[in-house]
Amino acid sequence: MATMAAGLLAAANLQAAPLPGFVLTAQTQHFSFYSRDNQKVDSQKTERYLAQVEQLLGQQVEGRAEYYRYATAQELAAGTGTYAAGLTLAHSGQIHSTQAFHAHEIVHLVAGQMGNPGVFFQEGLAVAIGNEAKWQGKDVDSLARKAAGTKLSSLVARFDSMDADTAYAVAGSFVNRLIKTHGIAKVAEFFRACGPAGTNPAAAFARTFGQSLDEAGAAWAATL
Ligand SMILES: [Zn+2]
């Protein structure tokens, strides 16, 4: 469920649409849906959920995004270079997914247009909202407990090197706590404060929430 905000993959091999072998199967106001091998897409549910997330975050997605439905993570890897159940290239307006409807990736699509606080916060928001603060069906707070003794700034910096289940649970738990404590509008404000280039998210965090990452992390860890 990676997000590639920088769109490096897009530059390499995802410029042409549709991808080879995919056929247009549905169109809504905000999406063109492509699939192959008769894989299903839930176009109406996807369109409705996008509108919900847009309203929640106060962010409209410009233009029409492309939703590519794959049968398996192996096929998605062959098409994008990333082995995952889903992948969103927010700047290219593309969702690649192994699911007919994929709430987590739709959150990435909207949030990716607000600003880039980095992968920890992008994944945290997608888990908190799209996965309803669960990971592999378990509550993220209980999964995150084992990381509670580590400084949050270190967890943010090490997101990519942690084992994925812990990383996603920790990020989801922390961002969910931010939403509960400060409200979703404040969290959206933080994303915007980081700008598209994502320069110095730690400073933007402190400006927005009035405390450092590690202060907020200690307060979060105490609740786990
Ligand atoms: Zn993700």
Side-chain angles (χ1 to χ4, degrees):
M1 306 211 180
T3 182
M4 295 285 294
L8 296 174
L9 293 173
N13 60 3
L14 295 173
Q15 291 289 6
L19 295 172
F22 282 85
V23 293
L24 182 67
T25 55
Q27 241 172 355
T28 58
Q29 185 185 347
H30 289 99
F31 288 100
S32 295
F33 296 87
Y34 298 93
S35 76
R36 58 185 179 193
D37 305 327
N38 297 315
Q39 291 292 312
K40 297 266 183 291
V41 293
D42 196 334
S43 59
Q44 295 307 321
K45 191 172 180 183
T46 299
E47 179 70 25
R48 280 198 305 272
Y49 190 76
L50 179 83
Q52 277 179 37
V53 176
E54 282 184 335
Q55 177 152 26
L56 186 69
L57 297 176
Q59 184 73 31
Q60 303 298 311
V61 174
E62 299 295 328
R64 191 178 264 160
E66 295 164 357
Y67 191 108
Y68 292 95
R69 170 73 206 274
Y70 298 76
T72 64
Q74 286 86 347
E75 285 185 15
L76 197 149
T80 67
T82 299
Y83 183 92
L87 172 73
T88 297
L89 305 170
H91 291 266
S92 311
Q94 294 183 350
I95 290 176
H96 299 261
S97 178
T98 57
Q99 301 175 17
F101 164 74
H102 206 151
H104 178 105
E105 300 302 329
I106 296 168
V107 175
H108 278 319
L109 182 68
V110 181
Q113 310 209 356
M114 293 198 300
N116 185 21
V119 64
F120 179 94
F121 289 102
Q122 293 285 6
E123 294 303 341
L125 188 70
V127 171
I129 298 174
N131 301 80
E132 298 176 350
K134 291 190 169 54
W135 191 247
Q136 315 286 21
K138 295 191 188 120
D139 177 65
V140 286
D141 291 347
S142 58
L143 293 170
R145 217 165 274 148
K146 65 180 122 175
T150 307
K151 277 190 171 186
L152 192 83
S153 54
S154 169
L155 294 169
V156 170
R158 287 168 38 217
F159 182 91
D160 283 325
S161 60
M162 276 189 276
D163 89 89
D165 285 344
T166 303
Y168 280 77
V170 165
S173 174
F174 180 72
V175 173
N176 197 45
R177 184 77 207 162
L178 279 181
I179 295 168
K180 283 182 177 166
T181 307
H182 299 279
I184 188 69
K186 201 77 176 168
V187 174
E189 185 185 322
F190 163 57
F191 273 60
R192 292 193 182 91
C194 294
T199 315
N200 206 344
F205 186 96
R207 277 201 311 277
T208 307
F209 296 109
Q211 57 184 169
S212 72
L213 274 177
D214 287 335
E215 286 166 348
W220 159 74
T223 68
L224 293 177

